[in-house]
Structures are given as structure tokens and as C-alpha cells.
Amino acid sequence: MNSDLLIVGGEGDLALRKLYPALFSLWIGDRLWEDIRIVALARRELSQEEFLALVREWFEDNKDDRPVDEEAWAAFTQRMHYVSTDATSTEGLQVLREQHFADAERGLVVYLATPPTIFAPVCRTLEAAGLARPSTRIVVEKPLGHDRESFLEINRDLCAIFSEEQVYRIDHYLGKEAVQNLLALRFANSLFEPLWNNQYIDNIQITVAESIGVSGRWDFYDEAGALRDMVQNHLLQLMCLTAMEPPAHLSATDVHNEKLKLLSCLRPMDDNMARENTVTGQYAEGAVGGQPVVGYCEEEGAAEKSGTETFVAIKAEVDNWRWAGVPFYLRTGKRLPKRMAEILIQFKEMPHSIFGPQASMAAPNRLLIRLQPDEIIRLELMNKTPGLDSGMPLETVSLDLSAPAGEQLPDPGAYERLLLDVLRANSTLFVNAAEVEQAWVWVDQIHAAWERIGKQPEQYTAGTWGPSQAIAMVAREGRSWYESN
Amino acid sequence: MNSDLLIVGGEGDLALRKLYPALFSLWIGDRLWEDIRIVALARRELSQEEFLALVREWFEDNKDDRPVDEEAWAAFTQRMHYVSTDATSTEGLQVLREQHFADAERGLVVYLATPPTIFAPVCRTLEAAGLARPSTRIVVEKPLGHDRESFLEINRDLCAIFSEEQVYRIDHYLGKEAVQNLLALRFANSLFEPLWNNQYIDNIQITVAESIGVSGRWDFYDEAGALRDMVQNHLLQLMCLTAMEPPAHLSATDVHNEKLKLLSCLRPMDDNMARENTVTGQYAEGAVGGQPVVGYCEEEGAAEKSGTETFVAIKAEVDNWRWAGVPFYLRTGKRLPKRMAEILIQFKEMPHSIFGPQASMAAPNRLLIRLQPDEIIRLELMNKTPGLDSGMPLETVSLDLSAPAGEQLPDPGAYERLLLDVLRANSTLFVNAAEVEQAWVWVDQIHAAWERIGKQPEQYTAGTWGPSQAIAMVAREGRSWYESN
């Protein structure tokens, strides 16, 4: 069924920065049907020309050096319509329906590119205006609450109008090519799955590092902190795809069930674990990329003092047969040395070295899945050092499964894939309500423990890898954070 | 202990073509001690100058394009001495000892680059001349007999004078860098050993193909045939290193014991197995590399008719816990399409595909160890095809553990490594008597069965991969020979 697209919040940041460029790229790649309607809805009074000029302006600012295909652009913008109205006005949406979405035989995707506070009224209005059809799909994005309770409230409002199958919760990390490839690697090769457990894997590390600070959105960020802003969604989702049991089929239901099972196996944090297995930090002034930067509480709009963490490192444990005893080290933070997102699978050391004194030279095998800044899957093996030296001198070789950076296909972009999947009604790479709720349960426990033990973030110099306690937490167990190049 | 080198048969083919170039390369690489003596002994009357001219001539004919380092050549040839005498004359060897090997504190390596028929008298003469010291090492090479009995006889003669530890039996395939790397791969990585068994491996293929015929040595070859000439030594040795249990240490004793254990587990061939699990062939006229070539029985010096096989394919089975049920497909032959030596580990198919209809696109994982013409270790994995296509389209990626051909280090050459190992008294990469004997036991059984069932080689067109029965033997089990590029 051909579908049309309604973007509520159609002249906002997300729409201009991500959605329209992704849609144009899909258009160029012939991935959209020719008669698709893309309707941008917003309150701001803009003519169609002013709107398209705005879209073009943002597009130019963010695109690469290649010239725009003007013919394609003209055809694409023919499919776009700006509608200035209040999304909570039933009359407004009725007019919208008549003008653009009168054909109930066509599918409709509604992207709520708005704060969650207006999800409920918008959904009610969509229903009142006759746009909440059985085939309508609703797309929403984080933040989905700041704890379990507030998430359930948001979700209750959505689900009062739409069924769970109609709601597509985006986590854009899941649209990355490297994440797809992780699934291919695990489930299309007989080599890895037999080793994918606590008998052969020593530890798994998931790092999502940002070099930027919170400038411009201090208030918003200070309400959340790194645990809610990043761990609850992105890091736990990446962990799910890395650690879940093989689903019976690559279908939405099967994948969601396996992810939920994994989240349910996360060991709850008591006070003692919250003390030993979590580290929080807040950036102080320092330098990133050679530029001096201010501390968190000196940012524009900051309060003088805040107990919010801009960095968190967690040793998570999964209580199931596959992963018992394997630590999952999660860390994320702002004002870290670079922007980077990686999953590292570190295999165990060989049980025995037949090579005698050279044993120390045999580093454990590693599998690296990097999502940012470039997408790479790399396998690190030991090889004999070429040549005639006696014994068996060993060296590490890195095998890249992905094409070298220079030869990579143009990044399809996570939003392209996810938008296309919504239009195709494939929710495999989205997050269902039960997962979000279960992730909040775990995160809420940590927050509660932090409150009970009075945990305050340690200061760390901007441009470093967080407080030294994060390093110590891993070092205490004889391990270290992986530093990739 | 610094050692000197005596090459008996010092102006023969092997010495001129392989040993001196390898020694010069070692000399250039500073691998030899400066005061080493390399004495070439032969009956032919040659002056030192004539001898060195001969060495240089062969060297020039076989070397690559790089200019010779004349200074190094001059210094190297200073270390070489041609001695014209009969190696079975006690007086001759006594003079040799006094002139070149008087210092019993130095080690002595005697390379018997001669037919095995004179091993016995030469060894006796070495002893009579006082050169069979406890530190003396004897190097011999195939053919070591044409069956178990004749091997034992040759060996009895060697071991009447020298202990087993003093005898170094060369199989030059074992000196290949890729073979060393196979050991590093298996035993320096935790990734492969858990999968290295009948639970995860479907079959193993070992191919040693030659494009040349037997021109010039028809008589000799006709006495042997492919089974004795190639399988008994090279193919079984490669199979040993691929399939042996992990030795406790990478020591000669441990490695030899594990190889012997593997050979002892080869399932003996009864008549029925010899019929079903072996294919023999003899090349008829055809074309190799675009050049017409004659059939085996039209070669120079050939008899009108011969029952000798120039091609053999065998399905070998190993009766132990690790390999029960995993076929080892061995094949070797002359006048095949190209010169090539490869070990292929084919892993099992995934037990289950989560990808639905695309299942058929997931090829089983493979590990390729190529020894000739170039040395490569390649891992074939399944990857997601990059892009936005729906579902999970898969493609094979090949990961090369070795440097690309253009960047490979100058081939150290199997003889370099093995000569250096003898000089260092490290026999890990050599073959001990028990292994040779055990390999003959298995080969003799096959020959006996062939005789009982009256097996005659099938004709195959020169330049093809042997008789079609070799393909059928594998196809019957739902498998196929791997065709690498």
C-alpha cells in the first residue's frame, strides 16, 4: 500500500536537519513512490515558497560538496506541501484531511517531530479529524519520559488512540549500517554464534562519546543527565542487539521479544552495586580539539550548581545462561575527547599458550563494531610475524569487514533507513513499549540507588575520558577500556 | 654452537637450484654466522672457480630482477668450498675432515642431496672418517622409500650410525610461511580452536596441483605415481598440521607426537573404500596454459602403456573424537590447469536461518590457506550487502590475513627457513621416522586394495581437474571442490 507522510512540527529542527534531507536522498534513490505526499504541518505562517526556501537553506548547510540534482529537487519539492495550522485544532486537521489525505485507501505515516507534551492532544485531534485510520502509523522519538511512570503516561495517551503495532519509536542508532551488519555477522555466519557466550567472551564494551557540551539546551539536559538521555535508550538498545538470543525470525515481534528478554535479565542495582559498578561525572573546564571550553555549570543558562551527570560508566550484568559472569561496560558522556560510538566484543585469552615465552605477545581476539564517526566492523586476530625469526613471533592483524572509508558507499543515513522502514511498515528496527518500559525500570533503580547513597558526579576535565574512577572500575577487574584508532 | 654445512651431491640439481640460493639469502639477511663453512662435495672434477661460476649461473637463471649485491656475493662465496671426492671413500672424507671440519667443537650439518641408494655407504664413510659426531645432523629428503619396507630399510641404515634426533627429514611444504601461519591461527587465537572439530567443520580439502608433466623423469615417476610421490608425504603432512590436536608446546617432540597420532587415526582402506573413496587418473593429451601437451604415455622415455596414476583424489577419514564424520578430500595431480597448493576449511552451514527466503544466499564460512602460487590465508564471512534494500540481503566478504601480494615480504623461501632450522637444531618442522612409517602404512593399504580390485587410472585430458569421477566422488556427498581465484 502506498503511503503518504505527515510531519507534525514540520518546520522544526529535526524535520529540517534530518527528515527532509533523508527523504530527498530516498527520492533520488527511487525508494519513494512517485505520487507520495509529504505534508509539513506547523503553526508558523509560511508560504509554500518560504517553506521550500527554508528546507533548501538547511539542506545546503548540512550537505556534502556534491552539487544538488536540480531536476530531482524540483520533482521532490513538488511532492511537499506546507500547511500552517494548529495540530490540535480539529477543524485544521479536517481541512488537511480533505486536501491531502482524503483517500483512505492510502497509508498514512504521521511523524510527531514535537515535544512529547503535545503527543496526546495531537493524537486526539487526528482521531477527531478522521486521520487515525487502522493503517495510520505514528512515529515518535526520544525523550519518551524521564522515568517509567512518565513514559507510561505518554504511552497511555498514544495507545488510547493507536494500537502498539501502529506506534514506531525511533532510536536512530538502530538504523546504522554497522548495527544491521552486527545482525548479519551474528546470524548469517556459523563462526561467531558458537563463541557468543560467557565461555569465550571476556567482556563487552559499549561507548557512545560526544565531544560537544550542552550549550543551548542546559535546562533540558539538566533535567535528564547522561543516564536518562543516552543509556536508557541508545546504549541499552545497542546492548540488546549485541547480546540478545537469536530470534527465530528476523521479524519485528521476534526481535522485540528477544530484546525485551535481555532487558529483563539486567541485574537490578542495589546500593552497593550502585556504589561499585557505576561512576558519574560532570565536565569541568578544559579543552576539546585544541579549543578551550567552559565547564558544565558555566554553560549559557546554567545554574551555579547541579548534581546532574554529564558522564556515566556502568558495569552492567546480565543474569542468564549465556552471559552470566560477562561484564558489559557501558559509558557515555559529553565533552569527551571525540565523537565516537563503538561496541567492542573482547574474547577471552587463550586457555594455554603452546608458544612458551612469546605467550605474552598473543593479545586476545577482538571484534569491533563502530557506528561513529565512520562505520566499521573489524576483527582483530593474531598472526605469525612474517620472516625467519625463531620460535613463533606473533602480531595482531586487523581485518575490516566493511569497505575502507574511502570506498564506502554514500552513507544511507540512519533516518533514511528508518523512514523507509516506517513507510514499508517494518518495525523490526524500532523499539516497542515493553522495551522502553523495561529499560526505564532498570534506569529508575539506578537513580533510586544514587539518591539513597547520595551519589554526586565527580568533576572531570573537558576533553578527557571522564573521571578516573571510570578507568579504575574496569581496572579493578584486570581489564581496560578499549582505545581504538 | 656455530655449525658448518657439508652438502653431499654439491653440484646437483637440488643444491644448485634451491640450497645455494637459500643460503645466499640467509647470508644477506645476516642469519648465518660469519665464519660458517659451506662445503660442496661431489665426484665431478671442478676447480673452485668453475664451481662458483656454476653456482652463479644457476643463481642468475632463477633469481628475480633485483641486481645481485656483489659485495655480499663475494663474502658469501668466500665461505664456500668445492671438494671433489667420492663421498664413499674414507680417505677422501678424512682429508675433508682435516681440511674443513677439524674443530669438533663446531656443529656439522650434512645435507645428503643424493639418491637414497647411497645414504647407507655415505653414512658409514662419515662414521669411519670421524665425522659422525654426536652433534652431527643429517638432512635427507624424499623419496624415502616406495613403501613401508623400503623406507624402514633406508632408515635402518641411517639409524645404524645416527640417532633419530640427528636425522632431519625435509618436507619443504612445511617451511612455507602460510603453514607456519596456520599454526599461529589455530593456536594463538581463541576464536578458531573451539570451532575446529566435527561440530562446526563440514569438510576439509587439500589440493596440491601441478601443471607440469613428468617429462625427463618418466622412469622414476612411473615407479612411484601420485599417491607415493605426493600424498604419502606432502598432502598427509599438511593434513597433520591442519588436523592434529593442540600440542602442549610448540616443540619438536610434541608436534611430532601429535602428527603421528593423527596419522594413526586415518581409517584403513578396505576394498570397498578403495573403490568408493579413491579416484585415480592418468593424463591424456590436452592443453595447459594454451599450449598443447602430450599424454603421459607419449612423454619422452615413456612405455607404451602404464598403470601408474598421475592424479589421485581420496576421501580420507579420521577416526577420532574431533574429526569423526568430517571428510578430508585430498587431491593431487600432474597436468592440472595450474600450479596450486591449498588447504580449505569449510565450516558447516548455519543450523537455522532467521532471514527467511534469503537463507540460500548465506554461503558457509570458509578458511583458505594457500601455499602456492602465492601464500594467502583468507577468511570468508557473510556480510550485509550495504544499502537500503529490504530484508537482509547478504554477500560474501573475503578477509585476507596475509598482506596483499604486492606488499608481501620477499618470500623467505621454504628452504631458507628449513636450512636455518637445521643449523639451529630445531626439528619441529621436520618429519620423524615414525610419521613417515605410519604414512606408508596407510598408503601401502591403499595400494594393496587397488591391486586386489584391479584399479586402473582413468584417462583425463591434460589441463583439466582430473577424471570426472573425482568431482562425482565429492558431489555424491552433496559437496564440491573449492575453486579459488
Side-chain angles (χ1 to χ4, degrees):
Chain A
M1 179 166 53
N2 288 8
S3 292
D4 297 317
L5 181 60
L6 168 64
I7 299 176
V8 182
E11 49 89 59
D13 229 58
L14 175 66
L16 290 164
R17 203 153 45 87
K18 298 287 185 189
L19 304 187
Y20 302 135
L23 287 165
F24 180 51
S25 180
L26 288 172
W27 179 264
I28 287 178
D30 261 341
R31 300 282 178 175
L32 303 181
W33 26 98
E34 281 188 12
D35 61 352
I36 190 172
R37 264 168 199 270
I38 300 169
V39 177
L41 184 148
R43 264 191 299 210
R44 189 167 160 200
E45 298 252 5
L46 283 176
S47 70
Q48 171 81 357
E49 289 65 38
E50 286 169 324
F51 169 68
L52 291 179
L54 196 64
V55 172
R56 179 64 180 242
E57 188 184 316
W58 280 70
F59 183 73
E60 297 276 354
D61 283 357
N62 288 288
K63 77 176 188 59
D64 59 21
D65 289 338
R66 284 172 301 179
V68 180
D69 177 341
E70 295 298 347
E71 203 176 322
W73 183 266
F76 172 66
T77 52
Q78 285 281 319
R79 309 311 316 151
M80 294 179 75
H81 306 274
Y82 185 75
V83 173
S84 167
T85 189
D86 182 340
T88 60
S89 138
T90 306
E91 283 148 60
L93 293 202
Q94 272 166 346
V95 173
L96 180 79
R97 191 198 65 204
E98 283 153 27
Q99 284 188 350
H100 295 292
F101 305 120
D103 183 356
E105 296 297 303
R106 292 177 68 87
L108 173 61
V109 171
V110 182
Y111 203 120
L112 299 182
T114 66
T117 41
I118 67 157
F119 286 177
V122 172
C123 287
R124 279 194 295 269
T125 317
L126 286 168
E127 189 186 32
L131 285 168
R133 299 166 183 150
S135 64
T136 300
R137 278 147 278 159
I138 291 284
V139 186
V140 295
E141 199 159 339
K142 79 164 186 178
L144 297 175
H146 64 276
D147 59 9
R148 176 170 175 269
E149 270 319 303
S150 51
F151 163 70
L152 288 179
E153 204 181 307
I154 291 169
N155 207 53
R156 211 157 27 230
D157 293 337
L158 288 174
C159 291
I161 317 289
F162 299 100
S163 70
E164 168 65 21
E165 286 65 40
Q166 292 178 276
V167 181
Y168 285 66
R169 295 172 200 82
I170 276 199
D171 188 320
H172 66 268
Y173 280 85
L174 304 194
K176 293 266 179 192
E177 188 76 14
V179 171
Q180 313 281 292
N181 240 325
L182 166 63
L183 295 178
L185 202 72
R186 284 192 64 188
F187 303 123
N189 293 284
S190 55
L191 271 188
F192 293 104
E193 195 52 27
L195 306 170
W196 211 260
N197 57 55
N198 56 8
Q199 204 174 346
Y200 300 108
I201 290 180
D202 182 80
N203 72 86
I204 291 181
Q205 304 182 8
I206 302 178
T207 298
V208 178
E210 295 178 292
S211 57
I212 55 168
V214 294
S215 129
R217 55 196 278 272
W218 197 93
D219 274 344
F220 164 79
Y221 190 86
D222 199 60
E223 286 288 304
L227 181 64
R228 289 187 176 109
D229 188 46
M230 297 295 287
V231 176
Q232 190 273 340
N233 36 61
H234 307 313
L235 277 87
L236 287 184
Q237 281 294 320
L238 294 177
M239 180 171 165
C240 279
L241 291 179
T242 308
M244 68 181 181
E245 298 294 314
H249 306 283
L250 192 66
S251 69
T253 310
D254 287 2
V255 171
H256 292 158
N257 284 347
E258 294 304 340
K259 282 158 67 187
L260 179 60
K261 265 169 59 185
L262 198 276
L263 289 166
S264 314
C265 296
L266 280 170
R267 184 179 299 175
M269 290 263 180
D270 61 23
D271 295 2
N272 214 24
M273 287 165 69
R275 239 179 241 112
E276 306 223 325
N277 297 345
T278 74
V279 173
T280 57
Q282 188 184 81
Y283 63 84
E285 64 176 355
V288 175
Q291 296 298 316
V293 297
V294 300
Y296 178 70
C297 284
E298 293 126 35
E299 294 280 8
E300 196 193 318
E304 207 168 293
K305 218 166 162 274
S306 163
T308 299
E309 81 287 357
T310 63
F311 173 95
V312 61
I314 300 178
K315 175 188 161 187
E317 286 169 284
V318 176
D319 286 330
N320 67 13
W321 277 69
R322 188 185 282 261
W323 296 118
V326 178
F328 286 75
Y329 297 117
L330 314 178
R331 68 177 167 169
T332 184
K334 295 202 174 285
R335 289 291 189 220
L336 300 187
K338 56 183 175 187
R339 174 168 169 270
M340 178 262 270
E342 283 182 1
I343 303 167
L344 178 85
I345 319 292
Q346 164 120 18
F347 291 91
K348 291 197 175 172
E349 291 190 6
M350 296 181 295
H352 165 73
S353 166
I354 71 168
F355 303 111
Q358 272 117 355
S360 58
M361 297 167 63
N365 297 146
R366 292 198 186 94
L367 181 67
L368 175 71
I369 297 118
R370 186 189 293 163
L371 319 178
Q372 270 172 4
D374 43 355
E375 301 200 36
I376 283 178
I377 296 197
R378 176 173 294 162
L379 183 61
E380 285 186 10
L381 295 177
M382 295 309 296
N383 212 11
K384 177 181 171 299
T385 307
L388 294 169
D389 287 342
S390 65
M392 182 76 80
L394 299 170
E395 61 183 22
T396 303
V397 284
S398 291
L399 303 177
D400 283 1
L401 270 83
S402 37
E407 295 169 25
Q408 277 186 9
L409 292 178
D411 178 15
Y415 276 95
E416 273 179 71
R417 177 185 314 279
L418 295 174
L419 277 169
L420 193 56
D421 278 353
V422 185
L423 289 166
R424 286 168 180 159
N426 177 354
S427 67
T428 309
L429 293 176
F430 294 78
V431 183
N432 79 3
E435 293 172 59
V436 181
E437 180 182 357
Q438 191 61 43
W440 276 123
V441 167
W442 191 67
V443 162
D444 286 354
Q445 286 161 350
I446 297 176
H447 265 292
W450 283 353
E451 220 154 277
R452 285 193 303 273
I453 64 176
K455 193 166 186 91
Q456 287 299 317
E458 308 285 333
Q459 298 285 307
Y460 63 94
T461 306
T464 67
W465 283 107
S468 56
Q469 286 91 327
I471 293 158
M473 179 180 81
V474 174
R476 272 202 307 274
E477 308 192 326
R479 301 190 173 99
S480 60
W481 293 101
Y482 178 73
E483 304 283 337
S484 74
N485 344 330
Chain B
M1 177 168 56
N2 289 6
S3 293
D4 296 318
L5 180 60
L6 169 64
I7 299 174
V8 182
E11 49 88 61
D13 229 60
L14 175 65
L16 289 164
R17 203 155 44 88
K18 297 288 184 187
L19 305 186
Y20 303 134
L23 287 165
F24 180 52
S25 180
L26 288 173
W27 177 265
I28 287 178
D30 260 343
R31 301 282 178 174
L32 304 180
W33 27 96
E34 283 190 10
D35 63 351
I36 190 173
R37 266 169 196 269
I38 299 168
V39 177
L41 184 148
R43 264 191 298 209
R44 187 167 161 202
E45 299 252 3
L46 283 177
S47 69
Q48 172 79 359
E49 289 65 39
E50 285 169 328
F51 168 69
L52 290 180
L54 197 62
V55 172
R56 179 64 180 244
E57 187 185 315
W58 280 70
F59 183 72
E60 297 277 355
D61 284 355
N62 288 286
K63 77 175 187 60
D64 58 22
D65 289 338
R66 285 170 301 179
V68 181
D69 177 342
E70 293 298 345
E71 204 175 322
W73 182 266
F76 172 66
T77 52
Q78 284 281 319
R79 310 310 317 151
M80 294 178 76
H81 307 274
Y82 185 76
V83 173
S84 165
T85 190
D86 183 339
T88 61
S89 140
T90 307
E91 283 149 59
L93 293 202
Q94 273 166 344
V95 173
L96 179 79
R97 190 197 66 206
E98 282 154 28
Q99 283 188 350
H100 294 291
F101 305 119
D103 184 354
E105 297 297 303
R106 293 178 66 88
L108 174 61
V109 170
V110 181
Y111 203 120
L112 297 182
T114 66
T117 41
I118 67 157
F119 288 177
V122 172
C123 287
R124 281 194 293 272
T125 317
L126 285 168
E127 187 185 35
L131 284 169
R133 298 166 184 149
S135 64
T136 300
R137 276 148 279 158
I138 292 284
V139 186
V140 295
E141 199 159 338
K142 78 164 188 180
L144 297 175
H146 64 277
D147 60 9
R148 175 168 175 268
E149 270 318 302
S150 51
F151 163 70
L152 288 178
E153 203 182 307
I154 291 169
N155 207 51
R156 210 154 32 229
D157 292 337
L158 287 174
C159 291
I161 317 288
F162 299 100
S163 71
E164 169 65 22
E165 285 68 38
Q166 292 177 276
V167 181
Y168 285 66
R169 294 172 200 82
I170 276 197
D171 188 318
H172 66 268
Y173 280 84
L174 304 193
K176 293 267 180 191
E177 188 77 15
V179 171
Q180 314 281 291
N181 240 326
L182 166 63
L183 296 178
L185 201 72
R186 285 192 63 188
F187 302 124
N189 292 285
S190 55
L191 271 188
F192 293 104
E193 195 52 27
L195 306 171
W196 212 260
N197 56 56
N198 56 8
Q199 204 174 345
Y200 301 108
I201 290 180
D202 182 80
N203 72 86
I204 292 181
Q205 304 184 8
I206 302 178
T207 298
V208 178
E210 295 178 293
S211 56
I212 56 169
V214 297
S215 129
R217 55 197 277 273
W218 197 94
D219 275 343
F220 163 78
Y221 189 87
D222 199 61
E223 287 287 303
L227 182 64
R228 291 188 176 108
D229 188 45
M230 297 295 286
V231 176
Q232 188 274 339
N233 36 62
H234 307 313
L235 278 87
L236 287 184
Q237 282 293 319
L238 293 177
M239 180 172 167
C240 280
L241 291 179
T242 307
M244 68 182 180
E245 299 293 314
H249 305 282
L250 192 66
S251 69
T253 311
D254 287 2
V255 172
H256 292 158
N257 284 346
E258 294 304 340
K259 283 158 65 187
L260 179 60
K261 265 169 57 184
L262 197 276
L263 290 165
S264 314
C265 296
L266 280 169
R267 184 179 299 175
M269 290 264 180
D270 61 24
D271 295 2
N272 214 25
M273 288 165 67
R275 239 180 243 112
E276 306 224 324
N277 298 344
T278 73
V279 173
T280 57
Q282 189 183 82
Y283 63 84
E285 63 178 353
V288 176
Q291 295 298 314
V293 297
V294 300
Y296 178 71
C297 285
E298 294 125 34
E299 295 278 7
E300 196 193 318
E304 207 168 293
K305 217 166 165 278
S306 162
T308 299
E309 82 286 357
T310 64
F311 172 96
V312 62
I314 301 178
K315 174 188 164 187
E317 286 169 284
V318 176
D319 287 330
N320 67 14
W321 277 69
R322 187 184 285 261
W323 296 118
V326 178
F328 285 75
Y329 297 117
L330 314 178
R331 68 176 167 171
T332 182
K334 294 200 177 287
R335 288 292 188 219
L336 300 187
K338 57 183 173 184
R339 175 170 169 267
M340 178 263 269
E342 283 182 359
I343 303 167
L344 178 84
I345 320 291
Q346 164 121 17
F347 292 91
K348 291 196 175 173
E349 290 189 8
M350 296 181 294
H352 166 72
S353 166
I354 71 167
F355 304 111
Q358 272 117 354
S360 58
M361 298 167 64
N365 297 145
R366 292 198 184 95
L367 180 67
L368 175 71
I369 297 118
R370 187 188 294 163
L371 320 177
Q372 269 171 5
D374 44 354
E375 302 201 34
I376 282 179
I377 295 196
R378 176 173 294 162
L379 184 61
E380 285 185 10
L381 296 177
M382 293 311 293
N383 214 11
K384 177 181 172 298
T385 308
L388 293 169
D389 287 342
S390 66
M392 181 77 79
L394 299 170
E395 61 182 23
T396 302
V397 285
S398 292
L399 303 176
D400 282 1
L401 272 83
S402 37
E407 296 169 24
Q408 277 187 11
L409 292 177
D411 178 14
Y415 276 94
E416 274 179 70
R417 177 186 313 278
L418 295 173
L419 277 169
L420 193 57
D421 278 353
V422 185
L423 290 166
R424 285 165 179 163
N426 177 355
S427 66
T428 309
L429 294 175
F430 294 78
V431 184
N432 78 3
E435 293 171 59
V436 181
E437 181 182 355
Q438 192 61 41
W440 275 124
V441 167
W442 191 68
V443 162
D444 286 354
Q445 286 162 348
I446 297 176
H447 265 291
W450 284 353
E451 221 154 279
R452 285 192 304 272
I453 64 176
K455 193 168 187 88
Q456 287 297 317
E458 308 286 333
Q459 299 284 307
Y460 62 94
T461 306
T464 67
W465 284 106
S468 57
Q469 287 92 329
I471 293 156
M473 178 181 80
V474 175
R476 270 201 309 273
E477 308 194 325
R479 301 188 173 99
S480 61
W481 292 101
Y482 178 73
E483 303 284 334
S484 74
N485 348 328

